[in-house]
Amino acid sequence: MTTPAHHFEDLGQQREAAALGMWVFLVTEILFFGGLFAAFAFYRSTHYDAFARAANLLDWRVGAGNTAVLITSSLMMALAVRAARLGRRRDLQLFLAATSLLGALFVAVKFWEYAHKAAEHLVPGFDFAVEGPWAQETRLFLGFYFVMTGVHALHMVIGICVLVTLWEMARRGVFSPERHALVENAGLYWHFVDIVWIFLFPMLYLMGAH
Amino acid sequence: MNRPDDYLNADYSVSSWLLTTDHKRIAILYLLSITLFFFVGGAAAVLFRLELMTPPGDLVGPETYNKLFTMHGVVMVFLFLIPSIPAVLGNFLLPMMIGARDLAFPKLNLLSWYLFILGSAVATTAILMGGLDTGWTFYTPYSTMFAHTNVVTGVLGVFIVGFSSILTGLNFIVTTHKMRAPGLTWFRLPLFVWALYATSLIQVLATPVLGITLLLLVAERGLGIGIFDPAIGGDPLLFQHLFWFYSHPAVYIMILPGMGVVSEIITCFSRKRIFGYPFIAFSSLAIAALGFLVWGHHMFVSGQSAYAGMVFSILSFLVAIPSAIKVFNWTATLYRGSISWQTPMLYALGFIGLFTLGGMTGLVLATLAVDIHVHDTYFVVAHFHYIMVGGMVMAYLGGIHFWWPKMTGKLYSEWWGRVSAAVIFIGFNLTFFPQFVLGYLGMPRRYHAYPDEFQVLNVLSTAGASILGAGYLLPFVYLLLSLKYGRDAGRNPWQATGLEWRTPSPPPTENFARVPEVREEAYAYGAEEAP
């Protein structure tokens, strides 16, 4: 497993290509979320008061707890990458498992929040019953909340699937200090998804706090 | 027949094609798929051009007409033009031009073809279910609140195809950075590679914004989450901003690769080193960069602020500079060259003329006051068809003719090639030049019926479209015949420079027996015949 694929000259070239490919992909992801963030920023400026009030419908304590979970999972991911570099298979498996479990916890909390919103009739297009002067803008805000956190959660679920696959590969001893580009790339992806949440959390949850 | 091993006869099984990771075979898969969609999109155009022969709506009703032009636009833009040169010629040539054995990520390349097939299948399903009628621009609130057609299915198809485009761009960027042969510095790259690189940047940076925009549209229409719904404080104009943030750069996805092809052809058939290599290379990047700053010129009359309109107008004018740099450099390359009138050259020269006219009329549209007069008229339709059909399709066909001997190992009939180039050029101008006049006289686009005084020009346009359609069928026929009856092309029928011409035709699966080493700049033409 230490020879490069047929079209590469050597492992170094293959590794550099994989890393650059991942970075370009993350640029794509930034633009993908960027469209959403731009749209949100626009409405936030045009409906500032209504959005600040609607943000209080979200429980910042749950969001903060989930932020802590996600940051810890990123630490586990960083440790997993280090274990892969050093060729410590057992550590690699351990940290990959920890990362994906924390990721799963995050998604579970997210869905608990969604269920809570549904119980409070706060899901636009499904069950929405808010009265009052800013009902429509609240609906707009919550639409963004569900789309943005939903797309983010989808990225989390994809990430967890990748991590589980990597865990299985690590168990079979596929990775070595020379050959672990997949772990590095999964790490980049995981940190990226983490960073998206770091922006989403204050933007959605903390807006109404002041 | 006793041919040495090449990528075509390496294996004949169906699975060896459908599971191939060879960039050349994937290029052929794309060639077959987009040719199909070219004729599907063309068929829709035939129908509405026939409808427009007579002023009243007699052949099709307004609803069918709307579905036809939507289908034409969606199919031609997303399923033909965007993948055309990058996914067919780029896939085939990029690794060979830089002396590599394949793209950096061959499996990803195959995945992007499958995503293309999946997305186009979903879009085709929408058409078969009765089509959609929003126009290819899917403007809200029409697409979200009023259209009673298969908007969600069609939009999802386009969404999926977008990922195929992103992955192709990603693959090309990494390949260009990491896979170049020893000695092949950036300024020794063929200009086609520079053009593909600029295109890939746009694909990677702009397509995701279209993705999220279409997703928001689906969320609004399908799930009732009203992001653009004015009733709850949403802004339909925001959709237009997000849509054109992708779709204006996408116009450059649909022209930059063509410019790259033309650079290759012009210098080869002038037997002269290209004039102003660094200017052509950097103008590609400049067009890609400026292309991101001009989307607002699609919204001059949509209620965008007047100041924004002015800024977008000025920025749009700036795009003319790198475009003109290219045209001047091609012309200077032709000057005192030993020009030969082979088929690819005829297409390339046609490109220069038609692109220039399309570009100049773009300036007319970028002018705020004039745009208010011609906005949403046939003037706009004529303008972008001069760029996208007169430009990109001409360049695509020029490129197909130029590299056909390399792809298939066969020479086509040169006589028929020249005839087709001439027929297409004439047919194209007869179709679309009258539309400039129609638009200037005030005929709006996207209507199935029109006042009597526009009939003469419309009949001319329809007559041109018939010639154009026949012109497109010609290469389809003689290129296919060349596979059976064509003479063997040999390694380098045009005596062109470039690494791709140093391998046999068709090339072996691994492209090069030995990775070539590059010791000189691109386009060392005319060294032997210099005065």
Side-chain angles (χ1 to χ4, degrees):
Chain A
M1 286 304 280
T2 46
T3 50
H6 75 102
H7 58 296
F8 287 111
E9 287 301 299
D10 53 53
L11 276 173
Q13 188 191 27
Q14 181 165 4
R15 207 162 35 226
E16 284 179 24
L20 180 62
M22 195 63 205
W23 280 104
V24 175
F25 176 72
L26 292 186
V27 169
T28 297
E29 287 277 28
I30 289 173
L31 267 297
F32 184 79
F33 280 100
L36 262 181
F37 277 69
F40 182 83
F42 169 66
Y43 287 141
R44 183 183 180 277
S45 68
T46 52
H47 307 303
Y48 185 80
D49 293 332
F51 269 34
R53 215 181 66 120
N56 287 327
L57 294 170
L58 308 177
D59 190 340
W60 68 269
R61 287 162 305 184
V62 181
N66 240 352
T67 309
V69 169
L70 206 51
I71 291 177
T72 316
S73 84
S74 256
L75 172 66
M76 294 299 130
M77 189 69 232
L79 290 172
V81 171
R82 189 182 121 88
R85 277 183 197 156
L86 297 175
R88 294 180 186 156
R89 192 208 292 187
R90 198 159 280 277
D91 286 2
L92 174 59
Q93 277 179 262
L94 179 72
F95 289 126
L96 284 175
T99 314
S100 33
L101 285 176
L102 287 166
L105 176 62
F106 176 93
V107 176
V109 171
K110 200 76 235 153
F111 276 89
W112 177 80
E113 269 187 287
Y114 287 167
H116 221 69
K117 292 281 163 300
E120 291 170 346
H121 312 289
L122 291 177
V123 187
F126 172 69
D127 178 10
F128 188 78
V130 171
E131 302 289 319
W134 280 326
Q136 297 306 333
E137 286 86 347
T138 303
R139 185 181 163 131
L140 192 61
F141 176 87
L142 286 169
F144 268 104
Y145 166 77
F146 279 103
V147 172
M148 293 175 108
T149 59
V151 172
H152 178 261
L154 179 66
H155 278 78
M156 293 286 300
V157 171
I158 292 171
I160 292 167
C161 295
V162 170
L163 290 176
V164 170
T165 314
L166 290 185
W167 182 84
E168 168 60 20
M169 288 170 82
R171 200 180 60 78
R172 285 190 280 120
V174 172
F175 302 115
S176 66
E178 296 80 41
R179 201 179 179 90
H180 58 273
L182 280 177
V183 183
E184 299 259 1
N185 280 351
L188 285 173
Y189 174 83
W190 194 261
H191 297 315
F192 168 80
V193 178
D194 189 359
I195 290 172
V196 171
W197 176 258
I198 299 295
F199 281 94
L200 283 179
F201 170 58
M203 221 171 67
L204 294 170
Y205 287 78
L206 302 182
M207 215 183 124
H210 58 85
Chain B
M1 206 165 60
N2 205 359
R3 265 194 344 199
D5 266 0
D6 60 53
Y7 80 102
L8 289 170
N9 64 12
D11 191 341
Y12 292 104
S13 67
V14 175
S15 67
S16 77
W17 279 94
L18 292 183
L19 298 175
T20 183
T21 53
D22 182 347
H23 65 100
K24 300 180 288 299
R25 285 194 163 203
I26 295 173
I28 300 297
L29 293 176
Y30 266 114
L31 174 66
L32 298 175
S33 354
I34 70 166
T35 303
L36 172 71
F37 285 115
F38 179 72
F39 285 107
V40 170
V46 166
L47 282 176
F48 60 66
R49 265 329 313 171
L50 283 176
E51 159 58 40
L52 290 170
M53 286 259 283
T54 52
D58 33 24
L59 184 64
V60 294
E63 278 155 20
T64 313
Y65 183 84
N66 292 350
K67 286 177 179 174
L68 283 174
F69 74 67
T70 303
M71 174 175 149
H72 173 72
V74 170
V75 169
M76 285 302 201
V77 168
F78 296 110
L79 306 186
F80 174 72
L81 279 169
I82 288 191
S84 62
I85 292 183
V88 176
L89 295 173
N91 248 328
F92 196 91
L93 293 164
L94 178 61
M96 287 204 279
M97 281 184 160
I98 64 171
R101 300 198 188 284
D102 207 319
L103 290 173
F105 308 115
K107 287 180 202 155
L108 200 65
N109 196 21
L110 182 64
L111 174 68
S112 76
W113 181 71
Y114 274 102
L115 284 172
F116 175 78
I117 291 300
L118 176 67
S120 48
V122 174
T124 309
T125 310
I127 293 170
L128 293 179
M129 280 159 59
L132 57 163
D133 62 351
T134 56
W136 77 280
T137 45
F138 313 118
Y139 273 11
T140 57
Y142 182 67
S143 57
T144 48
M145 295 164 73
F146 300 106
H148 296 293
T149 49
N150 305 291
V151 180
V152 169
T153 320
V155 161
L156 280 178
V158 173
F159 176 78
I160 297 169
V161 168
F163 285 98
S164 140
S165 174
I166 291 174
L167 293 182
T168 301
L170 186 154
N171 223 336
F172 284 8
I173 289 176
V174 176
T175 305
T176 311
H177 274 281
K178 297 293 178 194
M179 310 288 284
R180 301 193 309 277
L184 188 54
T185 57
W186 281 86
F187 288 98
R188 288 177 178 175
L189 287 173
L191 287 163
F192 182 56
V193 176
W194 277 94
L196 282 179
Y197 186 81
T199 309
S200 304
L201 287 178
I202 304 176
Q203 285 176 301
V204 162
L205 293 174
T207 319
V209 179
L210 176 75
I212 191 65
T213 311
L214 296 181
L215 211 58
L216 289 175
L217 195 158
V218 170
E220 175 156 349
R221 187 180 169 94
L223 309 174
I225 297 176
I227 299 287
F228 305 111
D229 180 359
I232 62 168
D235 191 343
L237 192 59
L238 180 67
F239 176 86
Q240 297 185 24
H241 275 292
L242 291 171
F243 179 83
W244 287 112
F245 182 84
Y246 162 78
S247 293
H248 196 77
V251 172
Y252 300 118
I253 298 177
M254 295 181 260
I255 194 70
L256 276 170
M259 294 168 156
V261 167
V262 168
S263 299
E264 300 292 322
I265 296 176
I266 292 281
T267 177
C268 176
F269 293 102
S270 304
R271 314 309 306 168
K272 216 177 134 206
R273 188 178 289 253
I274 194 121
F275 187 87
Y277 174 100
F279 290 92
I280 298 185
F282 279 112
S283 61
S284 287
L285 294 181
I287 290 174
L290 284 170
F292 277 99
L293 305 173
V294 300
W295 78 88
H297 67 217
H298 294 272
M299 289 129 68
F300 283 160
V301 298
S302 302
Q304 173 182 254
S305 94
Y307 298 106
M310 284 183 226
V311 173
F312 280 123
S313 170
I314 292 166
L315 289 169
S316 306
F317 276 106
L318 291 183
V319 180
I321 296 172
S323 311
I325 285 174
K326 282 184 189 288
V327 173
F328 290 141
N329 280 302
W330 293 325
T331 322
T333 306
L334 291 169
Y335 179 66
R336 300 191 70 177
S338 326
I339 295 170
S340 54
W341 306 96
Q342 312 279 25
T343 309
M345 186 63 157
L346 294 182
Y347 277 109
L349 293 173
F351 172 98
I352 297 181
L354 299 178
F355 170 73
T356 304
L357 199 53
M360 299 291 266
T361 49
L363 294 178
V364 173
L365 290 165
T367 313
L368 281 168
V370 184
D371 183 64
I372 289 174
H373 175 60
V374 289
H375 181 87
D376 252 350
T377 66
Y378 269 86
F379 193 88
V380 178
V381 176
H383 154 70
F384 71 73
H385 279 89
Y386 263 78
I387 301 282
M388 288 154 79
V389 184
M392 188 67 163
V393 179
M394 289 296 265
Y396 172 70
L397 288 173
I400 290 287
H401 284 86
F402 189 49
W403 284 292
W404 185 261
K406 178 53 64 183
M407 296 167 90
T408 63
K410 295 293 181 184
L411 289 171
Y412 48 83
S413 153
E414 189 58 37
W415 191 84
W416 278 109
R418 289 178 198 178
V419 168
S420 81
V423 169
I424 289 174
F425 185 80
I426 294 166
F428 175 84
N429 280 299
L430 189 55
T431 310
F432 292 104
F433 196 83
Q435 298 187 6
F436 278 126
V437 184
L438 277 171
Y440 200 77
L441 294 176
M443 178 167 166
R445 63 192 285 205
R446 295 182 166 175
Y447 282 85
H448 74 300
Y450 55 85
D452 289 340
E453 61 258 38
F454 293 138
Q455 186 171 12
V456 174
L457 288 163
N458 268 302
V459 169
L460 281 178
S461 181
T462 301
S466 335
I467 298 174
L468 187 59
Y472 286 140
L473 285 173
L474 281 177
F476 185 75
V477 174
Y478 66 75
L479 287 178
L480 281 181
L481 288 178
S482 79
L483 294 178
K484 191 156 168 52
Y485 302 106
R487 284 184 295 120
D488 280 343
R491 215 165 258 255
N492 188 357
W494 317 118
Q495 283 85 49
T497 65
L499 296 179
E500 79 270 28
W501 301 107
R502 293 201 205 161
T503 77
S505 315
T509 302
E510 294 277 293
N511 292 347
F512 302 96
R514 193 154 56 79
V515 170
E517 197 161 327
V518 181
R519 294 208 183 77
E520 58 185 6
E521 285 166 29
Y523 313 120
Y525 289 108
E528 69 280 10
E529 60 226 274

